[in-house]
């Protein structure tokens, strides 16, 4: 079985503001916003949605194909991916531009302000998908090159490959029609609750109407867990997993998606797969950066069983 992960590859510059954004923003002056935050720390890490999802999938014993574009400064990142056994065949290298760069500032309430330079992400992927198998493969379309996010849903549908649509940070540049076409016929649409509201506003559709276009709506709720709804009437709340420390929420959503994909690859139901996602996310939250967490299969199993009971036997690492 192949797992295809399209989206961004980027370097993250993660900064911490030891205050609350809301205390420094005047709501009656938003039309002339001019604010500066003095940050206390800065770290540069490997990131990007596709890279983050693939990283956590590698920890879970999978070797997904990353479908993305990177720039001339990607060598060390590529070596890190290869050291995890991840194939690089789906990554387009653009030698004349830099890899995408993300600036993320987080306050004490885990609110985030993000600035993003697209760099090589502005170039669509050129992967040809050799050996594509609709009976065995699954894909996720995560935030990345907009042309890919418009093109790949139709590509996967036409080849019978189930896919998860995850528009995330690219919602501001995707039209309502883009979103309707991408969600139509998808296996699942995954967002946080705010992003789901944005999709409803952009498409003019209710959440119930969206479920008529996709089989599943998976909505992450931060510390409140995940809500899973299906066209079959399923409506289940999966509680979040307790963490030992809250270090950085950046990348938790990507880790959650990796766990969800792992569960689906193991033929679990979406609800059971979402539990794997919640456990995966809990490890990411405990580390600064999106690809810094580590765990053994025993660590993962122990945390899963503490939260939800016995780990399904079909889950193999």
């Amino acid at each position: 079985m192949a797992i295809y992960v399209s989206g961004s590859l980027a370097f993250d510059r993660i900064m911490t503001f030891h205050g609350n954004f809301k205390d420094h923003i005047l709501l009656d002056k938003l039309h002339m916003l001019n604010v500066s935050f003095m940050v206390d720390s800065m770290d540069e890490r490997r990131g990007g949605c596709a890279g983050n999802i693939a990283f956590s999938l590698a920890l879970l014993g999978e070797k997904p194909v990353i479908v993305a574009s990177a720039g001339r400064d990607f060598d060390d990142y590529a070596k890190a991916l290869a050291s995890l056994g991840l194939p690089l065949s789906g990554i387009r290298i653009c030698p004349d531009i830099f890899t995408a760069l993300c600036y993320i500032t987080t306050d004490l309430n885990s609110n985030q302000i993000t600035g993003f330079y697209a760099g090589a992400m502005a170039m669509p992927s050129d992967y040809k998908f050799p050996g594509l198998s609709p009976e065995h493969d699954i894909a996720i379309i995560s935030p990345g090159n907009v042309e890919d996010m418009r093109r790949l849903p139709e590509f996967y549908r036409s080849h019978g490959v189930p896919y998860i649509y995850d528009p995330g940070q690219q919602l501001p540049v995707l039209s309502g029609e883009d979103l309707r076409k991408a969600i139509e016929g998808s296996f699942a649409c995954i967002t946080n609750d705010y992003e789901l509201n944005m999709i409803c506003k952009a498409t003019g559709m209710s959440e119930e109407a969206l479920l008529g276009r996709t089989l599943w709506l998976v909505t992450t709720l931060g510390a409140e867990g995940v809500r899973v709804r299906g066209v079959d009437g399923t409506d289940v709340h999966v509680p979040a997993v307790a963490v030992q420390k809250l270090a950085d929420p950046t990348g938790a959503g990507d880790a959650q998606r990796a766990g969800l994909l792992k569960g689906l690859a193991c033929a679990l139901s979406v609800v059971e797969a979402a539990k794997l996602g919640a456990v995966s996310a809990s490890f990411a939250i405990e580390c600064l950066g999106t690809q810094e967490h580590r765990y053994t299969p025993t660590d993962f199993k122990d945390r899963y069983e503490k939260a939800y009971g016995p780990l399904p036997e079909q889950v193999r690492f």
Side-chain angles (χ1 to χ4, degrees), residues 15-28:
M15 295 165 282
T16 304
F17 172 60
H18 281 271
N20 296 313
F21 295 143
K22 66 179 183 179
D23 296 332
H24 301 270
I25 296 176
L26 303 176
L27 295 180
D28 60 339

Side-chain angles (χ1 to χ4, degrees), residues 5-226:
V5 180
S6 65
S8 59
L9 291 166
F11 291 105
D12 292 337
R13 288 185 175 173
I14 302 171
M15 295 165 282
T16 304
F17 172 60
H18 281 271
N20 296 313
F21 295 143
K22 66 179 183 179
D23 296 332
H24 301 270
I25 296 176
L26 303 176
L27 295 180
D28 60 339
K29 300 292 184 182
L30 289 178
H31 64 288
M32 51 182 295
L33 185 65
N34 187 355
V35 62
S36 176
F37 300 104
M38 183 67 71
V39 299
D40 296 276
S41 62
M42 193 281 285
D43 285 282
E44 183 171 285
R45 311 279 182 170
R46 295 181 295 274
C49 295
N52 296 340
I53 295 170
F55 172 85
S56 283
L57 277 167
L59 295 183
L60 291 165
E62 300 294 333
K63 299 294 183 280
V65 177
I66 301 171
V67 181
S69 297
R72 63 190 187 190
D73 53 347
F74 192 66
D75 285 353
D76 287 343
Y77 197 151
K79 291 176 183 177
L81 295 174
S83 72
L84 295 168
L86 292 169
L88 306 179
S89 57
I91 301 174
R92 175 182 181 180
I93 301 299
C94 306
D96 298 326
I97 49 181
F98 290 103
T99 303
L101 181 61
C102 186
Y103 291 86
I104 304 167
T105 305
T106 305
D107 74 2
L108 291 180
N109 281 335
S110 297
N111 297 306
Q112 294 182 324
I113 296 175
T114 301
F116 193 79
Y117 162 70
M121 198 186 80
M123 304 297 293
S125 65
D126 56 2
Y127 188 59
K128 303 305 182 186
F129 295 90
L132 193 67
S133 171
E135 293 82 13
H136 302 104
D137 297 346
I138 190 169
I140 184 169
I141 302 167
S142 69
N145 176 268
V146 176
E147 184 177 332
D148 285 342
M149 296 186 74
R150 291 172 177 144
R151 174 181 61 86
L152 287 175
E154 172 57 29
F155 173 81
Y156 289 132
R157 282 195 303 268
S158 67
H159 287 80
V161 174
Y163 68 93
I164 298 170
Y165 196 65
D166 172 21
Q169 301 97 316
Q170 291 293 53
L171 277 170
V173 297
L174 293 166
S175 69
E177 184 63 17
D178 289 335
L179 293 167
R180 284 190 292 270
K181 288 180 178 179
I183 294 170
E184 180 73 48
S186 62
F187 176 78
C189 177
I190 184 167
T191 65
N192 61 35
D193 51 344
Y194 183 81
E195 292 163 351
L196 182 57
N197 287 333
M198 289 181 66
I199 290 174
C200 290
K201 182 178 179 180
T203 61
M205 300 173 67
S206 67
E207 295 178 19
E208 291 72 22
L210 287 174
L211 261 179
R213 291 177 176 260
T214 185
L215 297 179
W216 296 92
L217 283 180
V218 180
T219 311
T220 59
L221 306 170
E224 300 302 315
V226 181

